[in-house]
Amino acid sequence: MGTLLKCNKPLFSIRFSSFPNSLRSVQLRTHSFNNPKRRNPIRRCFSSLSPSSQPLINGTTLDKMDGNQQPGSPSSELWLHNTMSKKKELFMPKVEGKVGMYVCGVTAYDLSHIGHARVYVTFDVLYRYLKHLGYEVCYVRNFTDVDDKIIARAKELAEDPISLSRRYCDEFIQDMVHLQCLPPSVEPRVSDHMPHIIDMIKQIVDNGYAYRVEGDVFFSVENFPEYGQLSGRKLEDNRAGERVAVDSRKRNPADFALWKSAKEGEPFWESPWGPGRPGWHIECSAMSAAYLGYSFDIHGGGMDLVFPHHENEIAQSCAACKQSNVSYWIHNGFVTVDSEKMSKSLGNFFTIREVMDLYHPLALRLFLMGTHYRSPINYSDVLLESASERIFYIYQTLHDCENVLSQHDKGLQESIPPETLNVINKFHNDFSTSMSDDLHTPVVLAALSDPLKTINDLLHTRKGKKQAMRIESVAALEKIIRNVLSVLGLMPTSYSEVKTAFNNV
C-alpha cells in the first residue's frame, strides 16, 4: 500500500476563502452590533490575543487586575469531555501553547436555525476561553457549498447551486456577527478545495481502502477494522453513511461515497474517475488536513455528527495517513422542541433570524449558554423571556456603573474594602473553576448574581451609599464582570445601544 509523504504536515500552504474579510453593516430590525474592527484580514493561522479575550485578574489587588497572559503560556488547567474516551480529560495540546481546532460548519442551502446557533456559540466559547488561557488558536470552520441538499434546493429555485450556497454562507456570517461569535482563523469552502479532496481520495484508493464502481468511489469499511471506535457502533449495526439511499453496487451497505459521478444538470469537477463531485464526509478530512495537518488537537460539532460523519472522517483520514490523530472529539447536545431534536428535516425548527426578531441576539446567546453544552436544551419562550430579562438586568447594572464612574474618573484609590475583595475573589474562582471543568457556563452565569447585587446595593441603597471607598468597589466589580462577559462573548458594543434595542423589540 502507498503512503502519503509528510502526512503529518498540512497538504498545502494556507490559502483563504473568498469571503470578504471586512464585515458589511448588518441590520436586523432593532439590532445593530456593527463593528468594522471585528473581522481583520487573516495573515496567519496563529495570531495574538484579541483585546476582547484578555485574561481576568491574576491576583487579588487592583494593580494585578490588568495583567495580561501572554500567548503560548497557558495560565491554568482545562478539562474537556472527549467523545472518543467517553470521559473528561486534561487538555494537553500537541504543540505547547498552540491549539488546532476544526469545527464542522453548515451546509449552506437555507437560513440557519438555533440548533446551528448552539453549535457555533458552544465552540465560540471554547475558542474564547482557550485564547483567554493564553493559547494561540488556529480555528478552522468550513462551509459545505457542494451537497445533495444544495443541489435540490437550487433546482427548486432555478438558481445556480454555488451561487445559492454563497448567498446562504453570507447570511450565516451575518447571524454569527449578531450572536457575537468571533470569526474563525480560516473559513474554507468545499468548492475551493477540490484538488486537495481529489488528492486524498487518490491516496485512500492507493492504500487499499476504497474501490471504484463505474464513475463512483466508495470507502470500504470492512478494510478498516477500527471503524466504529468513536460511536461505539458495531459494523453489523451500521447502515449507509451517505445522505442518499443505499446503493446496491456497494460491497457493504455501510460503505460510503468518496466521489460521486456527475449527473445531468449538477455541478461537477474533473477527476481520475471521471467528472463528478465529492461525497459529504471527505471534505472535512481534506480541509482539516490542509490547514491543521493530519494530527491536531480538537475536532468538534453537534452530537448528530458523531455517526456517521465523524466516524467516517476518522476512517478516511487514517486510511490516507496512518499517523492521523485527533486528540479530543467534542460534541454539543441538541436543541429540542417537545423533546424531539430540532432539525430542518423534521420541520420543527426556528431560524436564528426568527428568534432574533423577537429577542435580542445576546438574549439568545445567554439562553444557549444557560445549559451545559453537552446537555440537551429545550426551546421555550419562557426560558427565552427569562434570558432576555436577565441580560437586560446585567446591562442595566453595568450602564448604571458607567454613569457613576464617569463622574469619578480621577482620584480613585488603589485599594478596595475586604468585603468587596471577597466578592471579587469568589467570583473569579467560580469562573476559573467552572470554565476549566468542561466549560460549565451555567455555573458562571449563576455566579454573576453576587457581584451584580453588590453593585446595586452600593449604588442604590442607603447603606451602600454610606460605605467607604464605594466608588472604588463599584469600579473593581464592574471591571471583573466586564472581563468575564468578554470571555463569554456577552459584552455588548455599548450598554445604551442594548437598552434602546430592548425597548424597541
Side-chain angles (χ1 to χ4, degrees):
M1 294 190 299
T3 57
L4 255 177
L5 296 176
K6 297 183 180 178
C7 61
N8 62 318
K9 302 270 184 80
L11 288 173
F12 64 105
S13 299
I14 290 177
R15 285 168 33 193
F16 308 107
S17 72
S18 57
F19 284 32
N21 283 324
S22 59
L23 293 179
R24 294 173 297 185
S25 179
V26 180
Q27 292 288 340
L28 279 180
R29 294 200 176 182
T30 60
H31 317 311
S32 52
F33 285 92
N34 307 318
N35 187 347
K37 297 182 180 180
R38 284 195 50 181
R39 187 183 290 259
N40 296 317
I42 301 171
R43 300 302 180 193
R44 60 180 183 273
C45 204
F46 290 108
S47 58
S48 59
L49 285 172
S50 65
S52 64
S53 60
Q54 297 298 329
L56 305 175
I57 61 175
N58 295 328
T60 57
T61 59
L62 280 176
D63 63 311
K64 293 184 179 180
M65 290 180 70
D66 291 320
N68 294 332
Q69 182 71 28
Q70 293 301 314
S73 54
S75 60
S76 67
E77 292 185 345
L78 171 62
W79 291 78
L80 295 171
H81 185 272
N82 190 346
T83 305
M84 182 67 77
S85 66
K86 310 297 188 291
K87 63 183 181 181
K88 281 190 286 189
E89 297 178 5
L90 178 64
F91 179 69
M92 299 181 67
K94 294 179 181 295
V95 178
E96 185 177 357
K98 298 181 185 294
V99 177
M101 180 169 73
Y102 186 95
V103 175
C104 293
V106 294
T107 300
Y109 69 97
D110 203 347
L111 293 175
S112 297
H113 57 67
I114 62 172
H116 297 125
R118 190 181 195 196
V119 176
Y120 304 114
V121 167
T122 292
F123 288 97
D124 181 66
V125 171
L126 176 57
Y127 182 34
R128 288 171 178 270
Y129 191 62
L130 287 167
K131 298 200 331 179
H132 162 72
L133 292 179
Y135 289 105
E136 292 183 69
V137 185
C138 181
Y139 175 18
V140 182
R141 186 184 69 207
N142 75 294
F143 282 107
T144 296
D145 62 348
V146 179
D147 184 79
D148 294 327
K149 293 182 178 181
I150 296 171
I151 293 169
R153 185 69 188 279
K155 286 182 178 178
E156 291 176 10
L157 301 176
E159 187 174 349
D160 174 69
I162 299 297
S163 174
L164 176 138
S165 183
R166 184 180 300 114
R167 177 159 56 86
Y168 282 115
C169 287
D170 291 342
E171 298 290 354
F172 172 82
I173 290 173
Q174 292 181 13
D175 288 341
M176 293 302 102
V177 170
H178 285 285
L179 289 172
Q180 295 202 163
C181 291
L182 295 174
S185 311
V186 191
E187 294 180 287
R189 300 186 189 188
V190 174
S191 60
D192 293 333
H193 294 78
M194 287 300 167
H196 316 105
I197 292 171
I198 292 170
D199 284 347
M200 179 173 276
I201 296 174
K202 287 170 61 179
Q203 191 65 57
I204 294 171
V205 172
D206 290 345
N207 287 350
Y209 291 96
Y211 57 94
R212 178 177 178 176
V213 179
E214 299 171 355
D216 298 328
V217 180
F218 295 101
F219 187 93
S220 176
V221 296
E222 290 183 342
N223 289 4
F224 187 74
E226 297 83 3
Y227 193 78
Q229 59 185 303
L230 180 67
S231 62
R233 297 168 67 111
K234 296 180 180 179
L235 186 58
E236 56 267 26
D237 297 331
N238 294 329
R239 294 294 181 263
E242 65 270 87
R243 294 182 173 187
V244 295
V246 176
D247 191 327
S248 60
R249 300 173 302 160
K250 294 192 293 186
R251 297 174 183 174
N252 186 302
D255 292 350
F256 55 90
L258 299 176
W259 188 259
K260 300 180 178 183
S261 58
K263 296 179 178 63
E264 186 177 354
E266 296 183 357
F268 65 87
W269 288 259
E270 294 297 333
S271 79
W273 316 283
R277 56 188 172 85
W280 174 34
H281 311 294
I282 190 66
E283 61 185 59
C284 288
S285 288
M287 288 188 287
S288 62
Y291 291 96
L292 300 173
Y294 277 90
S295 181
F296 57 94
D297 300 297
I298 297 171
H299 198 316
M303 197 172 293
D304 56 328
L305 297 185
V306 173
F307 185 88
H309 187 53
H310 287 166
E311 193 73 73
N312 291 353
E313 276 194 64
I314 293 171
Q316 294 165 159
S317 297
C318 291
C321 175
K322 291 183 179 180
Q323 287 73 42
S324 176
N325 175 262
V326 172
S327 298
Y328 305 88
W329 289 88
I330 300 175
H331 297 91
N332 65 274
F334 297 132
V335 176
T336 61
V337 178
D338 298 326
S339 301
E340 198 171 35
K341 175 199 168 188
M342 178 180 291
S343 70
K344 290 179 180 176
S345 59
L346 295 175
N348 63 345
F349 68 95
F350 300 93
T351 68
I352 297 171
R353 299 288 175 88
E354 289 172 334
V355 177
M356 290 194 301
D357 279 345
L358 301 174
Y359 302 97
H360 196 279
L362 293 181
L364 174 56
R365 185 178 176 107
L366 185 73
F367 161 74
L368 295 171
M369 294 169 59
T371 299
H372 186 255
Y373 78 89
R374 287 193 291 112
S375 300
I377 181 171
N378 197 54
Y379 178 85
S380 162
D381 288 337
V382 173
L383 291 176
L384 274 164
E385 289 287 353
S386 177
S388 186
E389 292 173 2
R390 183 64 175 172
I391 204 79
F392 183 83
Y393 167 70
I394 293 170
Y395 295 155
Q396 181 63 63
T397 300
L398 295 177
H399 186 46
D400 292 345
C401 287
E402 192 176 67
N403 289 337
V404 170
L405 294 175
S406 65
Q407 303 170 26
H408 300 83
D409 56 346
K410 294 182 180 180
L412 292 179
Q413 300 181 43
E414 294 187 359
S415 59
I416 54 177
E419 310 86 59
T420 302
L421 196 57
N422 288 338
V423 173
I424 290 173
N425 286 337
K426 182 180 184 303
F427 180 49
H428 177 256
N429 290 336
D430 288 344
F431 168 81
S432 298
T433 301
S434 302
M435 290 296 290
S436 292
D437 181 20
D438 200 27
L439 306 177
H440 268 277
T441 52
V443 178
V444 178
L445 295 175
L448 276 166
S449 296
D450 282 350
L452 289 169
K453 181 180 183 302
T454 303
I455 287 175
N456 280 301
D457 287 345
L458 291 168
L459 292 181
H460 304 300
T461 67
R462 183 177 301 176
K463 181 180 178 181
K465 291 179 180 180
K466 293 180 179 179
Q467 286 193 21
M469 293 182 287
R470 179 175 72 102
I471 302 303
E472 285 80 359
S473 292
V474 170
L477 289 161
E478 188 266 350
K479 185 167 189 175
I480 190 170
I481 292 173
R482 175 161 39 85
N483 288 341
V484 167
L485 292 179
S486 293
V487 176
L488 297 178
L490 289 169
M491 194 66 188
T493 52
S494 74
Y495 306 132
S496 57
E497 178 182 298
V498 171
K499 186 174 180 180
T500 300
F502 267 95
N503 290 338
N504 291 334
V505 171

